[in-house]
Amino acid sequence: MNASKVWFTDLRTRPGHNLLDKTEALMRAAGIETIDFKDKFVALKLHLGEPGNLAYIRPNYVARVVRLIHELGGRPFLTDCNTLYSGGRSNAVDHLQSAQENGFNRIAIGADVIIADGLKGTDYREVPIHLKRCETAKIGTAIADADIIVSLTHFKGHEQAGFGGTLKNLGMGSGSRGGKMQMHSESKPRIDVVKCTACGTCVRSCPQVAIGWNADHKAFIDYTKCVGCGQCVAVCMYGAARPVFQGTNDALNEKIAEYAYAVLHGKPAFHVSFIMNVSPNCDCWGLNDAAIVPDIGIAASFDPVALDQACVDLVNKAVANQGSVLGDVHFEQGDKFTHVHPDTHWESQVAHAEEIGLGTRQYEMVVVE
């Protein structure tokens, strides 16, 4: 397969050409106008921000994208699916409230928010894909029914996938609650009792009520109840809750790629990644830790695989922020995501995505001023 083009712009500005202008210029240069948007329903797939986390994409950027799609004749709406874990986005009522509080509303954005899998996460289309890990994928109805997909991704680290990029935004993010359970089914956390401080955060946060106390008052997981959602891994600040994969981390990452395939197959799509506030963990945390590198820029492509690979390379080439978790793990050189999350294997996600035809890891970077 020939190399795909990834367009990139840095964060330098000048009078009359601010970051919103640069975002639009990037998307136009990358060819978004070649998509026929006329009267089409356009799903803008993005993370709407967990309450307390401030690393999500600023609504100002999203508003500019919405304006552009309106100009091109499309009918855009913002969308995401409910989470498997407890928190501010596990049902549509709370999810919409979180979105409103974070600035994703019609007044600020110019488009409405639709929670793709409905009130309780049970509204989905079962999409046949017949791939290595999944015969079908449970995709939120509003995303499955959309005519065009435009993904807007905050690029960052991830405690189970290694990093969170376009593929994860589309794959895990578009799965209904049942779909997320399917993707997580081969990963179950464990508790390192030496590191456990008995703070109780994991006990209170577990949506399945699967975590209690052992005889030594250390956290204990009842695996007959655990669904592997990773909430305990996300909320533990002491490294006591760790992911354990039955087999390898590859199963989770390959399922994410296959769910992304289910979302994109047969539809026009375009992807934008914001490589800024590159926090070490998922935006599903109720907080965001210090960025592991300085802000880098914005990238766009029709190829989600090439885009993710380019973003990984840009982060790995950037100077490490020693005031972040990278300083805690004494990072000097190598892959930053593996240093932060040594139990993960992010390459399996992009490699499998390439194998199933979502794109290529080979790319040509085109710089847009």
Side-chain angles (χ1 to χ4, degrees), residues 4 39 51 54 89 131 171-172 209 265 306 322 348:
S4 292
D39 296 326
L54 302 178
R89 299 178 302 116
L131 294 172
M172 186 64 73
V209 197
H265 186 63
Q322 292 300 326
S348 60

Side-chain angles (χ1 to χ4, degrees), residues 74-140:
R75 305 176 70 181
F77 62 95
L78 278 55
T79 192
D80 199 6
C81 285
N82 292 309
T83 59
L84 183 58
Y85 58 83
S86 60
R89 299 178 302 116
S90 60
N91 62 77
V93 173
D94 293 343
H95 206 156
L96 287 170
Q97 179 65 30
S98 298
Q100 294 284 322
E101 291 175 1
N102 287 337
F104 297 106
N105 55 68
R106 172 163 282 279
I107 294 173
I109 302 295
D112 291 312
V113 177
I114 299 174
I115 304 306
D117 59 343
L119 179 62
K120 298 181 179 180
T122 56
D123 189 4
Y124 63 87
R125 299 274 189 256
E126 192 144 10
V127 180
I129 52 176
H130 310 298
L131 294 172
K132 175 182 175 181
R133 300 286 183 177
C134 303
E135 283 294 313
T136 63
K138 299 176 175 67
I139 303 299

Side-chain angles (χ1 to χ4, degrees), residues 148-206:
I148 299 169
I149 305 294
V150 175
S151 68
L152 304 174
T153 300
H154 167 230
F155 193 80
K156 67 279 177 188
H158 192 275
E159 56 278 4
Q160 290 187 298
F163 72 83
T166 297
L167 292 169
K168 186 176 181 299
N169 178 21
L170 290 167
M172 186 64 73
S174 298
S176 67
R177 295 194 79 204
K180 289 180 172 65
M181 190 175 296
Q182 180 185 17
M183 283 182 273
H184 281 293
S185 63
E186 293 183 63
S187 62
K188 298 291 178 72
R190 65 176 174 86
I191 302 296
D192 183 338
V193 294
V194 175
K195 293 183 177 179
C196 178
T197 65
C199 68
T201 303
C202 63
V203 176
R204 294 188 296 272
S205 301
C206 180

Side-chain angles (χ1 to χ4, degrees), residues 57-80:
I57 299 169
R58 290 187 180 185
N60 315 64
Y61 289 111
V62 181
R64 179 59 72 95
V65 176
V66 166
R67 191 178 82 175
L68 175 58
I69 292 173
H70 276 306
E71 181 184 319
L72 297 175
R75 305 176 70 181
F77 62 95
L78 278 55
T79 192
D80 199 6

